[in-house]
Amino acid sequence: MANIKSQIKRIGTNKKAQERNKAVKSGLKTAIRSTHAAIATGDKAAATAALTVASKKLDKAVSKGVIHQNQAANRKSAIAKQVSAL
C-alpha cells in the first residue's frame, strides 16, 4: 500500500473510474446483445429501436472516455449494416 498522500488519493479515484467504466461497458454489451437478438428474430422494428439505444450508449461511452470514438463508430456501423439488411 502506498504511503504518499497523493498516491493514496489516486488509488481511490482510479478505483472509482474503474467501477464506472465497468458499468458503462456492461450496459454497452447488453444493448448490443439485445440488438443482435432482435436481428436474429428478424423483427425490423425491434431491431431499429434497439439500434438507437445501442448507438446512444456507444456515444455516451465515447463522451465519458470509456471507449475510443473509432471503436464506437465501427460498432455502430456493423450493427446498423445488419439492421438495414433485414
Coordinates of all heavy atoms in Angstrom, one line a residue:
M1 N 0.8 -1.2 0.0 CA 0.0 0.0 0.0 C 0.9 1.2 0.0 O 1.9 1.3 0.7 CB -0.9 0.0 1.2 CG -1.9 1.1 1.3 SD -3.1 1.0 0.0 CE -4.0 2.5 0.3
A2 N 0.5 2.2 -0.8 CA 1.2 3.5 -0.9 C 1.1 4.2 0.5 O 0.1 4.2 1.2 CB 0.7 4.3 -2.0
N3 N 2.2 5.0 0.8 CA 2.1 5.8 2.0 C 2.3 7.3 1.6 O 2.6 8.1 2.5 CB 3.1 5.4 3.1 CG 4.5 5.3 2.5 OD1 4.8 5.6 1.4 ND2 5.5 5.0 3.4
I4 N 2.2 7.6 0.4 CA 2.2 9.0 -0.1 C 0.7 9.4 -0.2 O 0.0 8.7 -0.9 CB 3.0 9.1 -1.4 CG1 4.4 8.7 -1.2 CG2 2.9 10.5 -1.9 CD1 5.2 8.6 -2.4
K5 N 0.4 10.6 0.3 CA -1.0 11.0 0.4 C -1.6 11.1 -1.0 O -2.7 10.7 -1.3 CB -1.1 12.3 1.1 CG -2.5 12.7 1.4 CD -2.5 14.0 2.3 CE -4.0 14.3 2.7 NZ -4.0 15.5 3.5
S6 N -0.9 11.7 -1.9 CA -1.4 11.9 -3.3 C -1.6 10.6 -4.0 O -2.6 10.4 -4.8 CB -0.5 12.8 -4.1 OG 0.7 12.2 -4.3
Q7 N -0.8 9.6 -3.7 CA -0.9 8.3 -4.4 C -2.1 7.6 -3.8 O -2.8 6.9 -4.5 CB 0.4 7.5 -4.2 CG 0.4 6.2 -5.0 CD 0.2 6.5 -6.5 OE1 0.7 7.5 -7.1 NE2 -0.5 5.6 -7.2
I8 N -2.3 7.7 -2.5 CA -3.5 7.1 -1.9 C -4.8 7.7 -2.5 O -5.7 6.9 -2.8 CB -3.5 7.3 -0.4 CG1 -2.3 6.6 0.3 CG2 -4.8 6.9 0.3 CD1 -2.1 6.9 1.7
K9 N -4.8 9.0 -2.8 CA -5.9 9.6 -3.4 C -6.1 9.1 -4.9 O -7.2 8.8 -5.3 CB -5.8 11.1 -3.5 CG -6.0 11.8 -2.1 CD -5.8 13.3 -2.3 CE -6.0 14.0 -0.9 NZ -5.8 15.5 -1.1
R10 N -5.0 8.9 -5.6 CA -5.0 8.4 -7.0 C -5.6 7.0 -7.0 O -6.4 6.7 -7.9 CB -3.6 8.4 -7.6 CG -3.1 9.7 -8.1 CD -4.0 10.4 -9.1 NE -4.1 9.6 -10.4 CZ -5.1 9.8 -11.3 NH1 -6.0 10.7 -11.1 NH2 -5.1 9.1 -12.4
I11 N -5.2 6.2 -6.0 CA -5.7 4.8 -6.0 C -7.2 4.8 -5.8 O -7.9 4.1 -6.5 CB -5.0 4.0 -4.8 CG1 -3.6 3.8 -5.2 CG2 -5.8 2.7 -4.6 CD1 -2.7 3.2 -4.0
G12 N -7.7 5.7 -5.0 CA -9.2 5.8 -4.8 C -9.9 6.3 -6.0 O -10.9 5.7 -6.4
T13 N -9.4 7.3 -6.7 CA -10.0 7.9 -7.9 C -10.0 6.8 -9.0 O -10.9 6.7 -9.8 CB -9.4 9.2 -8.4 OG1 -8.0 9.0 -8.6 CG2 -9.7 10.3 -7.3
N14 N -8.8 6.1 -9.1 CA -8.7 5.1 -10.2 C -9.7 4.0 -9.9 O -10.3 3.5 -10.9 CB -7.3 4.5 -10.2 CG -6.3 5.5 -10.7 OD1 -6.6 6.4 -11.4 ND2 -5.0 5.2 -10.5
K15 N -10.0 3.6 -8.7 CA -10.9 2.6 -8.4 C -12.3 3.0 -8.8 O -13.1 2.3 -9.3 CB -10.9 2.2 -6.9 CG -11.6 1.0 -6.5 CD -11.0 0.3 -5.4 CE -11.7 -1.0 -5.1 NZ -11.3 -2.0 -6.0
K16 N -12.7 4.3 -8.5 CA -14.0 4.8 -8.8 C -14.2 4.8 -10.3 O -15.2 4.4 -10.8 CB -14.1 6.3 -8.3 CG -14.9 6.4 -7.0 CD -15.2 7.9 -6.8 CE -14.8 8.3 -5.4 NZ -14.9 9.7 -5.2
A17 N -13.1 5.3 -11.0 CA -13.2 5.3 -12.5 C -13.4 3.9 -13.1 O -14.1 3.7 -14.0 CB -12.0 6.0 -13.1
Q18 N -12.6 3.0 -12.5 CA -12.7 1.6 -13.0 C -14.1 1.0 -12.8 O -14.6 0.4 -13.7 CB -11.7 0.7 -12.2 CG -11.7 -0.7 -12.6 CD -10.8 -1.6 -11.7 OE1 -10.4 -1.2 -10.6 NE2 -10.4 -2.7 -12.2
E19 N -14.7 1.3 -11.7 CA -16.1 0.8 -11.4 C -17.1 1.5 -12.4 O -18.0 0.8 -12.9 CB -16.5 1.1 -10.0 CG -15.8 0.2 -9.0 CD -15.9 0.6 -7.6 OE1 -16.7 1.6 -7.3 OE2 -15.3 0.0 -6.7
R20 N -16.9 2.8 -12.7 CA -17.8 3.5 -13.6 C -17.6 2.9 -15.0 O -18.6 2.6 -15.7 CB -17.5 5.0 -13.6 CG -18.5 5.8 -14.4 CD -18.0 7.1 -14.8 NE -16.9 7.0 -15.7 CZ -15.8 7.7 -15.7 NH1 -15.7 8.7 -14.7 NH2 -14.8 7.6 -16.5
N21 N -16.4 2.7 -15.4 CA -16.1 2.2 -16.8 C -16.7 0.8 -16.9 O -17.2 0.4 -18.0 CB -14.6 2.2 -17.0 CG -14.0 3.5 -17.1 OD1 -14.7 4.5 -17.3 ND2 -12.7 3.6 -17.1
K22 N -16.6 0.0 -15.9 CA -17.1 -1.4 -15.9 C -18.6 -1.3 -16.1 O -19.2 -2.1 -16.9 CB -16.7 -2.1 -14.6 CG -16.9 -3.5 -14.5 CD -16.3 -4.0 -13.2 CE -16.3 -5.5 -13.1 NZ -15.8 -6.0 -11.8
A23 N -19.3 -0.4 -15.4 CA -20.7 -0.3 -15.5 C -21.1 0.1 -16.9 O -22.1 -0.4 -17.5 CB -21.3 0.6 -14.5
V24 N -20.4 1.1 -17.4 CA -20.8 1.6 -18.8 C -20.5 0.5 -19.8 O -21.4 0.3 -20.7 CB -19.9 2.9 -19.1 CG1 -20.1 3.3 -20.6 CG2 -20.3 4.0 -18.2
K25 N -19.4 -0.2 -19.7 CA -19.1 -1.3 -20.7 C -20.2 -2.4 -20.6 O -20.6 -3.0 -21.6 CB -17.7 -1.8 -20.4 CG -16.6 -1.0 -21.0 CD -15.3 -1.7 -20.9 CE -14.2 -0.8 -21.5 NZ -12.9 -1.5 -21.4
S26 N -20.6 -2.7 -19.4 CA -21.6 -3.7 -19.2 C -22.9 -3.3 -19.9 O -23.6 -4.1 -20.5 CB -21.8 -4.0 -17.7 OG -22.8 -4.9 -17.5
G27 N -23.3 -2.1 -19.7 CA -24.5 -1.6 -20.3 C -24.4 -1.6 -21.9 O -25.4 -1.9 -22.6
L28 N -23.2 -1.3 -22.4 CA -23.0 -1.3 -23.8 C -23.2 -2.7 -24.3 O -23.8 -2.9 -25.4 CB -21.5 -0.9 -24.1 CG -21.2 0.5 -24.5 CD1 -19.7 0.6 -24.7 CD2 -22.0 0.9 -25.7
K29 N -22.5 -3.7 -23.6 CA -22.6 -5.1 -24.1 C -24.1 -5.6 -24.1 O -24.5 -6.2 -25.0 CB -21.8 -6.0 -23.2 CG -20.3 -5.9 -23.4 CD -19.6 -6.8 -22.4 CE -18.1 -6.5 -22.4 NZ -17.4 -7.3 -21.4
T30 N -24.9 -5.2 -23.1 CA -26.3 -5.5 -23.0 C -27.0 -5.0 -24.2 O -27.9 -5.6 -24.8 CB -26.9 -5.1 -21.7 OG1 -26.1 -5.6 -20.6 CG2 -28.3 -5.5 -21.5
A31 N -26.8 -3.7 -24.5 CA -27.5 -3.0 -25.6 C -27.2 -3.6 -26.9 O -28.1 -3.9 -27.7 CB -27.2 -1.5 -25.6
I32 N -25.9 -3.9 -27.1 CA -25.5 -4.5 -28.4 C -26.1 -6.0 -28.5 O -26.5 -6.4 -29.5 CB -24.0 -4.5 -28.5 CG1 -23.5 -3.0 -28.7 CG2 -23.5 -5.4 -29.7 CD1 -22.1 -2.8 -28.7
R33 N -26.1 -6.7 -27.4 CA -26.6 -8.0 -27.3 C -28.1 -8.1 -27.7 O -28.6 -8.9 -28.4 CB -26.3 -8.7 -26.0 CG -26.4 -10.2 -26.0 CD -26.0 -10.8 -24.6 NE -24.6 -10.5 -24.3 CZ -24.2 -9.9 -23.2 NH1 -25.1 -9.5 -22.3 NH2 -22.9 -9.8 -22.9
S34 N -28.8 -7.1 -27.1 CA -30.3 -7.0 -27.4 C -30.5 -6.7 -28.9 O -31.5 -7.2 -29.5 CB -31.0 -6.0 -26.5 OG -30.5 -4.7 -26.7
T35 N -29.6 -5.9 -29.5 CA -29.8 -5.6 -30.9 C -29.5 -6.8 -31.7 O -30.3 -7.1 -32.7 CB -28.8 -4.5 -31.3 OG1 -28.9 -3.3 -30.4 CG2 -29.0 -4.0 -32.7
H36 N -28.5 -7.6 -31.4 CA -28.2 -8.8 -32.1 C -29.4 -9.8 -31.9 O -29.7 -10.5 -32.9 CB -26.9 -9.5 -31.6 CG -25.7 -8.8 -32.1 ND1 -25.4 -8.6 -33.4 CD2 -24.6 -8.3 -31.4 CE1 -24.3 -7.9 -33.6 NE2 -23.8 -7.7 -32.3
A37 N -30.0 -9.8 -30.8 CA -31.1 -10.7 -30.5 C -32.3 -10.3 -31.4 O -33.0 -11.2 -32.0 CB -31.5 -10.7 -29.1
A38 N -32.6 -9.0 -31.5 CA -33.7 -8.5 -32.4 C -33.4 -8.8 -33.8 O -34.3 -9.2 -34.6 CB -33.9 -7.1 -32.1
I39 N -32.1 -8.7 -34.2 CA -31.8 -9.0 -35.6 C -32.0 -10.5 -35.9 O -32.5 -10.9 -36.9 CB -30.3 -8.6 -35.9 CG1 -30.2 -7.1 -35.9 CG2 -29.8 -9.2 -37.2 CD1 -28.7 -6.6 -35.8
A40 N -31.6 -11.4 -34.9 CA -31.8 -12.8 -35.1 C -33.2 -13.2 -35.2 O -33.5 -14.2 -36.0 CB -31.2 -13.5 -33.9
T41 N -34.1 -12.5 -34.5 CA -35.6 -12.9 -34.7 C -36.1 -12.3 -36.0 O -37.2 -12.8 -36.4 CB -36.4 -12.3 -33.5 OG1 -36.2 -10.9 -33.5 CG2 -36.0 -12.9 -32.2
G42 N -35.5 -11.4 -36.6 CA -35.9 -10.8 -37.8 C -36.9 -9.7 -37.7 O -37.6 -9.3 -38.7
D43 N -37.1 -9.2 -36.5 CA -38.1 -8.1 -36.2 C -37.4 -6.8 -36.5 O -36.6 -6.3 -35.7 CB -38.6 -8.2 -34.8 CG -39.7 -7.2 -34.5 OD1 -40.1 -6.6 -35.4 OD2 -40.1 -7.2 -33.3
K44 N -37.7 -6.2 -37.6 CA -37.1 -4.9 -38.1 C -37.4 -3.8 -37.1 O -36.5 -3.0 -36.8 CB -37.5 -4.6 -39.5 CG -36.8 -3.3 -40.0 CD -36.3 -3.4 -41.4 CE -35.7 -2.1 -41.8 NZ -34.5 -2.2 -42.5
A45 N -38.6 -3.7 -36.6 CA -39.0 -2.6 -35.7 C -38.2 -2.6 -34.4 O -37.7 -1.6 -33.9 CB -40.5 -2.6 -35.5
A46 N -38.2 -3.8 -33.9 CA -37.5 -4.0 -32.6 C -36.0 -3.8 -32.8 O -35.3 -3.2 -31.9 CB -37.7 -5.4 -32.0
A47 N -35.5 -4.3 -33.9 CA -34.0 -4.1 -34.2 C -33.7 -2.6 -34.3 O -32.6 -2.2 -33.8 CB -33.6 -4.9 -35.4
T48 N -34.5 -1.9 -35.0 CA -34.3 -0.4 -35.2 C -34.3 0.3 -33.8 O -33.5 1.1 -33.6 CB -35.3 0.2 -36.1 OG1 -35.3 -0.6 -37.3 CG2 -35.0 1.6 -36.5
A49 N -35.3 -0.1 -33.0 CA -35.4 0.5 -31.7 C -34.1 0.2 -30.8 O -33.6 1.1 -30.1 CB -36.6 0.1 -30.9
A50 N -33.7 -1.1 -30.9 CA -32.5 -1.5 -30.1 C -31.3 -0.8 -30.7 O -30.4 -0.5 -29.9 CB -32.4 -3.0 -30.2
L51 N -31.3 -0.6 -32.0 CA -30.1 0.1 -32.6 C -30.0 1.5 -32.1 O -28.8 2.0 -31.8 CB -30.2 0.1 -34.1 CG -29.2 0.9 -34.9 CD1 -27.8 0.3 -34.7 CD2 -29.6 0.9 -36.4
T52 N -31.1 2.2 -32.0 CA -31.0 3.6 -31.5 C -30.5 3.6 -30.0 O -29.7 4.5 -29.7 CB -32.3 4.3 -31.6 OG1 -33.3 3.6 -30.9 CG2 -32.8 4.5 -33.0
V53 N -31.0 2.7 -29.2 CA -30.5 2.6 -27.8 C -29.0 2.3 -27.8 O -28.2 3.0 -27.0 CB -31.3 1.6 -27.0 CG1 -30.7 1.3 -25.6 CG2 -32.7 2.0 -26.9
A54 N -28.6 1.4 -28.6 CA -27.2 1.0 -28.6 C -26.3 2.1 -29.1 O -25.2 2.4 -28.5 CB -27.0 -0.3 -29.5
S55 N -26.8 2.9 -30.1 CA -26.0 4.0 -30.6 C -25.8 5.1 -29.6 O -24.7 5.6 -29.4 CB -26.7 4.6 -31.8 OG -26.7 3.6 -32.9
K56 N -26.9 5.3 -28.8 CA -26.8 6.4 -27.8 C -25.8 5.9 -26.7 O -25.0 6.7 -26.2 CB -28.2 6.6 -27.2 CG -29.1 7.4 -28.0 CD -30.4 7.7 -27.3 CE -31.4 8.4 -28.2 NZ -32.7 8.6 -27.6
K57 N -25.9 4.7 -26.3 CA -25.0 4.2 -25.3 C -23.5 4.2 -25.8 O -22.6 4.5 -25.0 CB -25.4 2.8 -24.9 CG -26.6 2.7 -24.0 CD -26.7 1.4 -23.3 CE -28.0 1.4 -22.4 NZ -27.7 1.6 -21.0
L58 N -23.3 3.9 -27.0 CA -21.9 4.0 -27.6 C -21.4 5.4 -27.6 O -20.3 5.7 -27.2 CB -21.9 3.4 -29.0 CG -21.9 1.9 -29.1 CD1 -22.3 1.5 -30.5 CD2 -20.6 1.3 -28.7
D59 N -22.3 6.4 -28.0 CA -21.9 7.8 -28.0 C -21.6 8.3 -26.6 O -20.7 9.0 -26.3 CB -23.0 8.6 -28.6 CG -23.1 8.4 -30.1 OD1 -22.1 8.0 -30.7 OD2 -24.2 8.7 -30.7
K60 N -22.4 7.8 -25.6 CA -22.2 8.2 -24.2 C -20.9 7.7 -23.7 O -20.2 8.4 -23.0 CB -23.4 7.7 -23.4 CG -23.5 8.2 -22.0 CD -24.3 9.5 -22.0 CE -25.1 9.6 -20.7 NZ -26.0 10.7 -20.8
A61 N -20.6 6.4 -24.1 CA -19.3 5.8 -23.6 C -18.1 6.6 -24.2 O -17.1 6.7 -23.5 CB -19.3 4.4 -24.0
V62 N -18.2 7.1 -25.4 CA -17.2 7.8 -26.0 C -17.0 9.2 -25.3 O -15.9 9.6 -24.9 CB -17.4 8.1 -27.5 CG1 -16.5 9.1 -28.1 CG2 -17.3 6.8 -28.3
S63 N -18.1 9.8 -24.9 CA -18.0 11.1 -24.3 C -17.5 11.0 -22.9 O -16.8 11.9 -22.4 CB -19.4 11.8 -24.2 OG -20.3 11.1 -23.3
K64 N -17.7 9.8 -22.2 CA -17.1 9.6 -20.9 C -15.6 9.1 -21.0 O -15.0 8.9 -20.0 CB -17.9 8.5 -20.1 CG -19.3 9.1 -19.7 CD -20.0 8.0 -19.0 CE -21.4 8.4 -18.6 NZ -21.4 9.2 -17.4
G65 N -15.2 8.8 -22.2 CA -13.8 8.3 -22.4 C -13.6 6.9 -22.1 O -12.5 6.4 -21.8
V66 N -14.7 6.1 -22.1 CA -14.6 4.7 -21.8 C -14.0 3.9 -22.9 O -13.2 3.0 -22.8 CB -16.0 4.1 -21.3 CG1 -15.9 2.6 -21.0 CG2 -16.4 4.8 -20.1
I67 N -14.5 4.2 -24.2 CA -14.0 3.6 -25.4 C -13.6 4.7 -26.4 O -14.0 5.8 -26.2 CB -15.1 2.6 -26.0 CG1 -16.3 3.4 -26.5 CG2 -15.4 1.5 -25.1 CD1 -17.3 2.5 -27.3
H68 N -12.8 4.3 -27.3 CA -12.3 5.2 -28.3 C -13.4 5.5 -29.4 O -14.2 4.6 -29.6 CB -11.1 4.6 -29.0 CG -10.3 5.6 -29.8 ND1 -10.6 5.9 -31.1 CD2 -9.3 6.5 -29.5 CE1 -9.8 6.8 -31.6 NE2 -9.0 7.2 -30.6
Q69 N -13.5 6.7 -29.9 CA -14.5 7.0 -30.8 C -14.5 6.2 -32.1 O -15.6 5.9 -32.7 CB -14.5 8.5 -31.2 CG -13.3 9.0 -32.0 CD -13.3 10.5 -32.2 OE1 -12.9 11.2 -31.3 NE2 -13.8 10.9 -33.3
N70 N -13.4 5.8 -32.5 CA -13.3 4.9 -33.7 C -13.9 3.5 -33.5 O -14.6 3.0 -34.3 CB -11.9 4.8 -34.2 CG -11.3 6.0 -34.8 OD1 -12.0 7.0 -35.0 ND2 -10.0 6.0 -35.1
Q71 N -13.7 3.0 -32.3 CA -14.3 1.7 -31.9 C -15.8 1.8 -31.9 O -16.5 1.0 -32.4 CB -13.7 1.3 -30.5 CG -14.2 -0.1 -30.2 CD -13.9 -0.5 -28.8 OE1 -13.8 0.3 -27.9 NE2 -13.6 -1.8 -28.6
A72 N -16.3 2.9 -31.3 CA -17.7 3.2 -31.3 C -18.3 3.3 -32.7 O -19.4 2.7 -33.0 CB -18.1 4.4 -30.5
A73 N -17.6 4.0 -33.6 CA -18.1 4.2 -34.9 C -18.1 2.8 -35.7 O -19.0 2.5 -36.4 CB -17.2 5.1 -35.7
N74 N -17.1 2.0 -35.4 CA -17.0 0.7 -36.1 C -18.2 -0.2 -35.6 O -18.8 -0.9 -36.4 CB -15.7 0.0 -35.8 CG -14.6 0.6 -36.6 OD1 -14.8 1.3 -37.6 ND2 -13.3 0.4 -36.2
R75 N -18.4 -0.2 -34.3 CA -19.5 -1.0 -33.7 C -20.9 -0.5 -34.2 O -21.7 -1.3 -34.6 CB -19.5 -1.0 -32.2 CG -18.3 -1.7 -31.6 CD -18.4 -1.7 -30.1 NE -17.3 -2.5 -29.5 CZ -17.3 -2.8 -28.2 NH1 -18.3 -2.5 -27.5 NH2 -16.3 -3.5 -27.8
K76 N -21.1 0.8 -34.3 CA -22.4 1.3 -34.7 C -22.6 1.0 -36.2 O -23.6 0.6 -36.6 CB -22.4 2.9 -34.6 CG -22.7 3.3 -33.2 CD -23.2 4.7 -33.1 CE -22.2 5.7 -33.6 NZ -22.6 7.1 -33.3
S77 N -21.5 1.1 -37.0 CA -21.6 0.8 -38.4 C -21.9 -0.7 -38.6 O -22.8 -1.0 -39.5 CB -20.3 1.1 -39.1 OG -20.2 0.6 -40.4
A78 N -21.3 -1.6 -37.9 CA -21.5 -3.0 -38.0 C -23.0 -3.4 -37.7 O -23.6 -4.1 -38.5 CB -20.6 -3.8 -37.2
I79 N -23.5 -2.9 -36.6 CA -24.9 -3.3 -36.2 C -25.9 -2.6 -37.1 O -26.9 -3.1 -37.4 CB -25.2 -3.1 -34.7 CG1 -25.0 -1.7 -34.3 CG2 -24.4 -4.1 -33.9 CD1 -25.3 -1.4 -32.8
A80 N -25.6 -1.3 -37.6 CA -26.5 -0.6 -38.5 C -26.6 -1.4 -39.8 O -27.7 -1.5 -40.4 CB -26.0 0.8 -38.7
K81 N -25.5 -1.9 -40.3 CA -25.5 -2.6 -41.5 C -26.3 -3.9 -41.4 O -27.1 -4.2 -42.3 CB -24.0 -3.0 -41.9 CG -23.8 -3.6 -43.3 CD -22.4 -4.1 -43.5 CE -21.4 -2.9 -43.6 NZ -20.1 -3.4 -44.0
Q82 N -26.2 -4.6 -40.3 CA -27.0 -5.8 -40.0 C -28.5 -5.5 -40.0 O -29.4 -6.2 -40.5 CB -26.6 -6.5 -38.8 CG -25.2 -7.1 -38.9 CD -24.8 -7.7 -37.6 OE1 -25.3 -7.5 -36.5 NE2 -23.6 -8.4 -37.6
V83 N -28.9 -4.3 -39.3 CA -30.3 -4.0 -39.2 C -30.8 -3.6 -40.6 O -32.0 -4.0 -40.9 CB -30.5 -2.8 -38.2 CG1 -31.9 -2.2 -38.3 CG2 -30.1 -3.3 -36.8
S84 N -30.1 -2.8 -41.3 CA -30.6 -2.4 -42.7 C -30.7 -3.6 -43.6 O -31.4 -3.5 -44.6 CB -29.6 -1.3 -43.3 OG -28.4 -1.9 -43.6
A85 N -30.0 -4.7 -43.4 CA -30.1 -5.8 -44.2 C -31.4 -6.6 -44.0 O -31.7 -7.5 -44.8 CB -28.9 -6.8 -44.0
L86 N -32.1 -6.3 -42.9 CA -33.3 -7.1 -42.6 C -34.4 -6.7 -43.7 O -34.5 -5.7 -44.1 CB -33.8 -6.7 -41.2 CG -33.1 -7.3 -40.1 CD1 -33.6 -6.8 -38.7 CD2 -33.1 -8.8 -40.1

